[in-house]
Amino acid sequence: MAAGLTQLKYLYSHPEVYTNLSEKGRLLYGGIRDILKEKGIPYQVNAVESLGCMFFTHQPVVDYTSAKTSDTKAFAEYFKVMLKNGIHMAPSQFEAMFLSNAHTEKVIGETLEAMKKCL
């Protein structure tokens, strides 16, 4: 609990952390949208600030039922290729991606480049 309280105090006195995370989210999730659109792949990217999830489906994803319309086999292949390219991510179509302050613009760029190659 002491560590959690210390973290909350730090975040309260350093609001720039949230600004940085917002920008990183815009870079990553905006980049993902651009790549998928450019490649003509049916997708939905749901994101709020530094939290996001990508679904291979035409249908807007608003709940579990609509998330199940996703092409999970395509996501599994995507996951395997991303892993081979050094990008570690959640292995399930139904798990979110989380950015942290440890993710740099360089890392985000490398992730987007790997994504371009694998898609």
Side-chain angles (χ1 to χ4, degrees), residues 51-88:
L51 169 69
C53 195
M54 177 179 64
F55 301 93
F56 292 121
T57 181
H58 286 290
Q59 179 175 324
V61 175
V62 296
D63 55 20
Y64 181 67
T65 301
S66 54
K68 285 177 43 175
T69 67
S70 300
D71 185 342
T72 55
K73 289 180 183 179
F75 185 88
E77 289 302 313
Y78 162 74
F79 168 79
K80 290 175 196 173
V81 175
M82 290 293 278
L83 193 57
K84 286 180 185 175
N85 279 278
I87 306 300
H88 298 255

Side-chain angles (χ1 to χ4, degrees), residues 3-4 7 13 31 39 41 47 51 73 84 89 92 94 105-106:
Q7 182 65 42
S13 62
K39 302 268 184 190
I41 297 171
L51 169 69
K73 289 180 183 179
K84 286 180 185 175
M89 51 191 283
S92 171
F94 307 106
E105 286 187 30
K106 179 181 179 206

Side-chain angles (χ1 to χ4, degrees), residues 2-103:
L5 181 58
T6 300
Q7 182 65 42
L8 289 172
K9 287 179 181 177
Y10 177 86
L11 291 171
Y12 181 76
S13 62
H14 293 86
E16 70 277 5
V17 170
Y18 295 107
T19 304
N20 293 339
L21 286 172
S22 270
E23 181 55 31
K24 290 174 185 184
R26 278 191 294 279
L27 286 173
L28 179 63
Y29 303 119
I32 290 171
R33 285 181 185 105
D34 291 345
I35 292 166
L36 292 168
K37 186 176 180 180
E38 175 185 307
K39 302 268 184 190
I41 297 171
Y43 74 93
Q44 298 294 315
V45 176
N46 292 356
V48 176
E49 305 294 335
S50 62
L51 169 69
C53 195
M54 177 179 64
F55 301 93
F56 292 121
T57 181
H58 286 290
Q59 179 175 324
V61 175
V62 296
D63 55 20
Y64 181 67
T65 301
S66 54
K68 285 177 43 175
T69 67
S70 300
D71 185 342
T72 55
K73 289 180 183 179
F75 185 88
E77 289 302 313
Y78 162 74
F79 168 79
K80 290 175 196 173
V81 175
M82 290 293 278
L83 193 57
K84 286 180 185 175
N85 279 278
I87 306 300
H88 298 255
M89 51 191 283
S92 171
Q93 173 77 83
F94 307 106
E95 295 181 59
M97 297 179 278
F98 300 88
L99 288 167
S100 74
N101 260 3
H103 292 100

